[in-house]
Amino acid sequence: MADILYTYHNQVYANITNRCDCSCVFCIRSHKDAIGEAEHLWHEKEPSLEEIKKAIDEFDFTECTELVYCGYGEPTCAIENLIASAAYAKEKYNLKIRLNTNGLANLYHGRNVIPQLAEVVDSVSISLNAPTPERYNEVTRPSFPNAFEAMCSFAVMAKEAIRQVRFSVVDVLSQEEIEASFRLADELGVPLRVRKYA
Ligand code: SF4
């Protein structure tokens, strides 16, 4: 059975789905079956809410203050389990909730899910991935034609509703693209962090 909760660099991560509406060229899923202390992150069957809660109950959170939703898939594809399990972890273990996302949840679900996320999520990191729609499509290969615009507007709306929202790009981009990403993030009023490629 795949790990639902796993640790990596002293952070606890929740791997609640393998579904994703992108196929990023750098996605770690395409060349490794696990990351950090996890043994296996491919679920034979998507975990139920009860299974996620059980994994939370079995984890020792003594040294932890935060649970990060980020696994081998896009967490918001399993939005109902994300919201319910995050509410459970917050209430029972007093954890802060962080969401690492591709920012396409509103497209995927065909509705605005930000108010629902804002009820339980304390901080959000959105993968900007590239500074232009063309490069974004090349890098993330999304299932939707207008994904870049939707991701940017998700970030702007999330910023209004959730205390800490930021973009991230991976340092595989050229210096020029990283600078253009900073300019775009600035225009949209969302801070940007450059992450090291794992
Ligand atoms: S959005 Fe995340 S999980 Fe999905 S393909 Fe890209 S890197 Fe992988």
Side-chain angles (χ1 to χ4, degrees), residues 154-166 188-191:
F154 179 92
V156 172
M157 288 195 292
K159 186 84 182 18
E160 293 291 308
I162 298 171
R163 199 164 48 86
Q164 266 188 298
V165 176
R166 69 178 183 208
L188 296 175
V190 179

Side-chain angles (χ1 to χ4, degrees), residues 56 61 67 69 84-95 97:
I56 291 172
F61 287 103
L67 177 60
Y69 282 77
S85 62
Y88 181 77
K90 251 180 128 70
E91 195 181 316
K92 194 159 176 191
Y93 299 100
N94 197 26
L95 295 167
I97 303 297

Side-chain angles (χ1 to χ4, degrees), residues 20-24 26-29 71-74 102 129 140:
C20 187
D21 43 5
C22 290
S23 177
C24 300
F26 53 78
C27 183
I28 196 153
R29 308 190 303 171
Y72 264 29
E74 166 52 43
N102 62 15
N129 284 325
T140 65

Side-chain angles (χ1 to χ4, degrees), residues 163-176:
R163 199 164 48 86
Q164 266 188 298
V165 176
R166 69 178 183 208
F167 279 131
S168 72
V169 291
V170 183
D171 63 359
V172 293
L173 295 186
S174 68
Q175 193 52 37
E176 207 178 34

